[in-house]
Amino acid sequence: MSAKILSGTETAKTIREELTVEVAELKDKHNVVPGLVTILVGEDPASQSYVTAKNKTAKALGINSEQVTLPVDTNEEDLLALVEKYNNDAAVNGILVQLPLPKHVNEAKVLDSIDPNKDVDGFHPVNVGNMVLGEKCFLPCTPHGILELLQRSGTETSGAEVVIVGRSNIVGKPIANLMLQKREGGNATVTLCHTRTKDLAFHTKRADILIAAVGVPKVITGDMVKEGVVVIDVGVNRIGKAESGKAILAGDVDFDAIKEKAAAITPVPGGVGPMTITMLMKNTVQAAKMANGLL
Ligand code: GUN
């Protein structure tokens, strides 16, 4: 068997076309232009490229987008003051602080300082709490993108054995939660594995849907999955540099080996990454609608 490729690039393109229409309508009918601010502290190359992609996508959709880049030694107080400024700016509907932050800054404190109504990342405790309760909230972008990708590819989740590898706040914990919820795209039996899991392969071999979000290149090998599994690879690992200077990327799963056994698999790049960015746009449009009484 050779797996169907679950192209995030293609699915994201469809959703972006839908959003472009929605943004144009907001402007024409209500004179509302969604506004997004991204804040990057430091010069981490991966973070730089994510933030640049987020701004470029926002602009292409007709969203007002501002990118703020601060030096790596920016102190916590200054960062909190900047967030507060955008909390009070009516033209800004969404605020995103790119993670990870430098060690001297308290990440939780910064995320807590973002107005929950502008928290388009879905990382504020109010949004996390509402997500767990299944209430209306901003869903975190990567888990939201995974749900859309599964749903739009017609993957059945109800009753499926979903095995997630990685327990981060950004991916593992929220996707585990969303997939077990009693709703469309949920109703799965979820196993969440992590660095202390005793026999990882025992669990991954049982998966109907396997979600890898560990940040270690090709750690999930061909012998760790069963025939017919659907694999979502969240890993974007830089494993070298091409002559052109461009980073060579690899996912958390051994794509070449697993595609021979899987029913479907996301590529890296071009899988989950474009979906994450697109869900940020969706949340920003949602935030603009909420701020203007249109939701
Ligand atoms: N770092 C890695 N993924 C993300 C994300 O989805 N949002 C933010 N703010 N930082 C990240």
Side-chain angles (χ1 to χ4, degrees):
M1 189 194 298
S2 196
K4 174 179 157 193
I5 304 300
L6 296 178
S7 169
T9 306
E10 286 301 312
T11 308
K13 188 165 165 263
T14 305
I15 302 172
R16 284 176 199 181
E17 282 164 5
E18 294 163 7
L19 285 171
T20 304
V21 173
E22 213 175 334
V23 171
E25 269 182 14
L26 273 178
K27 182 152 194 330
D28 292 347
K29 291 191 187 153
H30 304 283
N31 203 24
V32 168
V33 179
L36 172 70
V37 170
T38 57
I39 303 171
L40 171 65
V41 184
E43 293 173 356
D44 175 67
S47 292
Q48 272 176 338
S49 83
Y50 294 143
V51 168
T52 302
K54 287 168 185 177
N55 277 280
K56 201 172 141 203
T57 307
K59 288 199 170 111
L61 263 57
I63 293 171
N64 270 341
S65 180
E66 186 186 344
Q67 180 173 341
V68 182
T69 305
L70 302 171
V72 70
D73 59 355
T74 300
N75 69 39
E76 191 177 287
E77 254 174 49
D78 289 347
L79 184 54
L80 291 170
L82 188 68
V83 169
E84 192 53 23
K85 182 182 107 169
Y86 291 122
N87 279 342
N88 294 316
D89 183 342
V92 173
N93 304 114
I95 303 169
L96 176 141
V97 179
Q98 186 65 28
L99 304 180
L101 285 167
K103 292 273 179 288
H104 66 275
V105 178
N106 182 336
E107 210 161 84
K109 202 168 166 186
V110 173
L111 295 179
D112 285 9
S113 75
I114 298 172
D115 178 345
N117 292 312
K118 298 191 179 190
D119 170 38
V120 284
D121 251 332
F123 291 166
H124 191 283
V126 165
N127 282 312
V128 176
N130 280 327
M131 179 201 67
V132 172
L133 295 169
E135 298 291 340
K136 201 164 150 252
C137 63
F138 291 114
L139 291 181
C141 301
T142 300
H144 195 181
I146 294 170
L147 292 184
E148 286 277 346
L149 204 48
L150 289 171
Q151 215 157 351
R152 290 184 187 236
S153 65
T155 307
E156 181 60 84
T157 59
S158 183
E161 291 286 342
V162 173
V163 177
I164 298 157
V165 190
R167 57 178 156 183
S168 70
N169 288 338
I170 294 180
V171 186
K173 284 187 211 166
I175 193 65
N177 212 282
L178 289 164
M179 296 213 67
L180 61 78
Q181 289 185 8
K182 202 171 186 175
R183 63 181 188 119
E184 208 184 323
N187 290 315
T189 302
V190 175
T191 304
L192 183 48
C193 302
H194 47 77
T195 42
R196 299 292 173 95
T197 296
K198 276 195 183 137
D199 185 351
L200 182 60
F202 166 80
H203 296 285
T204 56
K205 274 184 203 160
R206 293 173 36 249
D208 299 317
I209 300 172
L210 177 66
I211 301 174
V214 231
V216 180
K218 302 185 188 182
V219 71
I220 309 292
T221 50
D223 57 336
M224 292 171 74
V225 301
K226 72 174 181 189
E227 291 279 341
V229 63
V230 173
V231 178
I232 304 290
D233 190 351
V234 183
V236 182
N237 306 293
R238 294 172 170 238
I239 56 166
K241 239 183 201 178
E243 268 178 28
S244 64
K246 232 177 136 191
I248 301 170
L249 303 177
D252 290 347
V253 314
D254 183 345
F255 181 88
D256 291 333
I258 291 180
K259 79 175 194 309
E260 299 307 324
K261 288 175 92 175
I265 185 167
T266 58
V268 176
V272 175
M275 294 299 295
T276 297
I277 296 175
T278 301
M279 293 306 116
L280 174 68
M281 303 304 131
K282 204 172 167 117
N283 283 352
T284 304
V285 172
Q286 183 186 328
K289 283 182 164 177
M290 276 163 50
N292 289 279
L294 300 169
L295 257 190

